[in-house]
Each structure stands twice: as C-alpha cells, then as structure tokens.
Amino acid sequence: MSDCENERSRADALRARLARLPRWWPLPACAAAGVLVGGGYGVFQTPQYTATSYVVAVPQAKADPATALGFAQAYGRVAAQVAVLGDAQVEAGMTPAQLRDSVQVATSPDAPMISISARSDRPSAAALTANAVARSLATNANHAKDSTQVKLLTFSRALEPTEPSSLSTGVTTLVGGCAGGLLGGLALLVRPRGRTEAPAAASVPGPASALARSAT
C-alpha cells in the first residue's frame, strides 16, 4: 500500500471517529484548552507590583481653588514628558522611555490632586519610581510658582506594595476557561449541520402515458 493510500485511510479513520462524537464536543474541549492556557499563563507570568504617590496643587495668595484645579489638570498631562522625567530617571535608574512605559498619571475633575502610579516586578522599584516622578513633577512645576501662583506639594508618598497587582492564577484560569467556552459555543454556531435528503417525489404519469392508457 502506498503512502498516499495510508494517509487517506488515516484521514478517513479520523473523520469517522469525529463523526461518532456528539455534536457539542467542541464546547468542553475548548473550555478545557482555555483552562490550561489561562492556568499556564498565571503560573509562568512575572508578578507585577503597583505603587502610587499623590501630589496636590495648592493655590497661593493671588490664586483661588479653581485655578489650582486647572493647573493640576495641566500638570497631570505633562507629567510623563521628557522634561519632567529628566530628574526622575537618574533616581529611578531608568531611561525616559522606560519611565513612560511604567508610569501612569491620573487627575481628578473635582480635586486638585494628581496620582502617579508606577508598575514594576519589584515592590521597592515601584515605590521608588512613583516617588521619583512625583518629586520631579513638583520640582519642575514649582519653578514657575511665582507666575502661576500654584505650588505642587507631595500629599502622600508611595509605599512598597505587599501584594502583586497582576492577575492571580485563579483569575487567569477562570478567564481562560470562559474564553475557551465562548469559542466553543461560537464553533457550535458556525459548524455546518448534516444535510438531510429530501424525500423522493412520487412519480406522476405524463400526459402522453395517461392518454395511451385511456385509449386501451
């Protein structure tokens, strides 16, 4: 028997086995695969830690709280710029590009507060980076405090996180199982159904044969 015939027979045997499986078999198969992938990702991923420092904008004698709120929003937008991160990169031991990738800045629409969150695989590095960026932002902003009449002060220093902020193995396993089950359900929806042959229509004698029988 040739190799082509062997491959064809194996393919026919595989199709026969799949045909004997219940139609809903992709659902549990995909869910199990998603559990394995999600659990593996949770086990082998590097835990990430997040530390947050807060900076507050304080109005001076010739400014009001609304001005401080407006400058807090403005400083929050430029906190990740190279000029602001120039002083922080030396203390954090990172390049400006690494700082921009690891730092997230957020402001509040109701309070003149700026939150600076740093993410790292080491708790100490996360806290050090967040505090360095907060000090650099306050230093650069306070150079213009005489003209802006707004001063930035450190409201709360970042502390070393005790628990990782990345997803735990249980969560990644659950997410993987749900995603696999969803894909399995979609596979069931798009899977072609077996064709059913229409029953053969009853033969109706033509006009010529009907006339021949009536003549006899």
Side-chain angles (χ1 to χ4, degrees):
M1 184 179 292
S2 63
D3 295 338
C4 294
E5 292 177 351
N6 290 332
E7 293 178 0
R8 190 180 300 109
S9 61
R10 284 195 293 266
D12 293 339
L14 179 60
R15 283 194 293 268
R17 293 192 189 98
L18 292 177
R20 288 194 295 267
L21 291 175
R23 187 178 180 277
W24 45 265
W25 72 267
L27 183 59
C30 292
V35 168
L36 291 177
V37 173
Y41 176 80
V43 170
F44 294 107
Q45 72 169 339
T46 301
Q48 296 291 315
Y49 297 86
T50 302
T52 304
S53 178
Y54 294 92
V55 178
V56 62
V58 180
Q60 302 300 292
K62 298 180 181 180
D64 54 13
T67 302
L69 179 60
F71 274 102
Q73 300 284 337
Y75 287 136
R77 295 188 183 96
V78 301
Q81 299 300 319
V82 176
V84 177
L85 298 177
D87 299 332
Q89 64 176 339
V90 178
E91 185 177 354
M94 298 181 180
T95 64
Q98 291 174 332
L99 282 178
R100 285 194 299 270
D101 293 339
S102 61
V103 172
Q104 289 185 344
V105 181
T107 58
S108 172
D110 303 321
M113 188 82 67
I114 305 171
S115 67
I116 301 172
S117 300
R119 187 179 178 92
S120 176
D121 56 356
R122 293 182 293 118
S124 59
L128 176 64
T129 303
N131 290 326
V133 175
R135 281 192 293 268
S136 179
L137 176 62
T139 300
N140 283 271
N142 291 337
H143 289 327
K145 65 180 180 180
D146 293 336
S147 59
T148 61
Q149 290 298 306
V150 173
K151 185 177 181 179
L152 288 189
L153 299 176
T154 301
F155 182 79
S156 176
R157 288 176 51 85
L159 301 177
E160 293 187 13
T162 58
E163 296 181 356
S165 57
S166 54
L167 297 178
S168 63
T169 303
V171 175
T172 57
T173 302
L174 180 61
V175 171
C178 293
L182 178 60
L183 292 177
L186 293 176
L188 289 179
L189 292 177
V190 300
R191 184 180 180 183
R193 299 177 180 271
R195 295 181 178 179
T196 57
E197 296 183 357
S203 58
V204 179
S209 59
L211 291 175
R213 283 199 300 267
S214 62
T216 56

